[in-house]
């Protein structure tokens, strides 16, 4: 089970930053997802969240907030099956300019861009977004604030 930290990055206008991904061998198969990735060495979940955020977006000026959600997921990607235990952290930033120079080779082959989304845009979108209920989760977060304890999301298997 791969240990993963993800970031729900909000800007000063409460927009969320998502990456646009695709299957390297099938570039028309696309989806949107939050920045994040696997832990390296002895780093903590929070350290991994900030490192991945910097690598994938170029944003290093982010204040990491509380742990929001946890989920397990399984999916095929780039010729293998991934099994992940994901933790989603809230983070805030005033910086909206992004830089993908820190992408790994796999990210360069499977990420076509980044976009800041409003809650409303996400709610009406017909594109695939992970985690599946992100629009609803974001609306609740913006309306009620972070949960008092991390919310366990449904396991997703693709």
């Amino acid at each position: 089970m791969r240990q993963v930290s993800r970031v729900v990055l909000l800007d000063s206008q409460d927009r969320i930053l998502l990456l646009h991904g695709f299957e390297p061998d099938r570039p028309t198969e696309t989806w949107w997802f939050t920045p994040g990735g696997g832990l390296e060495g002895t780093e903590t979940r929070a350290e991994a969240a900030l490192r991945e955020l910097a690598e994938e977006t170029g944003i290093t000026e982010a204040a990491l907030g509380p742990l929001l959600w946890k989920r397990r997921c399984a999916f095929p990607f780039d010729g293998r099956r991934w099994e992940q235990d994901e933790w989603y952290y809230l983070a805030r930033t005033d910086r909206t300019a992004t830089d993908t120079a820190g992408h790994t080779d796999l990210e360069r082959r499977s990420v076509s861009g980044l976009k800041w989304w409003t809650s409303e845009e996400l709610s009406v979108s017909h594109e695939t977004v992970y985690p599946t209920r992100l629009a609803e989760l974001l609306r609740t977060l913006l309306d009620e604030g972070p949960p008092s304890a991390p919310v366990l999301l449904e396991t997703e298997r693709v």
Side-chain angles (χ1 to χ4, degrees):
M1 181 75 60
R2 182 173 183 239
Q3 305 300 304
V4 171
S5 290
R6 297 206 162 279
V7 180
V8 176
L9 184 65
L10 301 179
D11 70 3
S12 61
Q13 299 172 42
D14 285 338
R15 296 180 304 169
I16 185 172
L17 183 64
L18 299 178
L19 288 83
H20 193 224
F22 59 94
E23 179 65 47
D25 294 333
R26 293 185 303 280
T28 58
E29 200 173 302
T30 68
W31 56 87
W32 293 90
F33 63 102
T34 59
L39 277 65
E40 293 181 357
T42 60
E43 71 185 349
T44 66
R45 294 273 192 157
E47 290 167 342
L50 290 172
R51 177 186 50 75
E52 286 286 340
L53 181 64
E55 290 174 1
E56 293 181 349
T57 71
I59 296 174
T60 56
E61 305 85 17
L64 195 64
L67 178 59
L68 300 172
W69 316 311
K70 294 180 179 183
R71 81 164 182 160
R72 291 207 168 178
C73 60
F75 54 92
F77 177 71
D78 194 37
R80 66 179 271 213
R81 184 95 181 140
W82 299 77
E83 301 270 343
Q84 299 190 160
D85 177 30
E86 299 182 337
W87 290 17
Y88 289 78
Y89 287 90
L90 175 62
R92 290 216 170 249
T93 186
D94 290 327
R95 178 180 165 190
T96 57
T98 58
D99 179 359
T100 58
H103 279 197
T104 65
D105 176 60
L106 178 57
E107 289 163 343
R108 284 190 289 278
R109 294 187 298 113
S110 64
V111 174
S112 61
L114 299 93
K115 177 182 170 184
W116 289 98
W117 293 73
T118 66
S119 176
E120 293 74 23
E121 289 170 331
L122 204 53
S123 293
V124 299
S125 175
H126 295 291
E127 297 190 59
T128 302
V129 178
Y130 295 110
T132 300
R133 295 176 33 241
L134 185 58
E136 174 190 334
L137 292 164
L138 178 61
R139 184 75 263 148
T140 300
L141 174 64
L142 295 175
D143 288 347
E144 300 174 11
S148 57
V151 174
L152 184 59
L153 305 180
E154 284 184 34
T155 298
E156 288 191 51
R157 296 196 180 285
V158 178

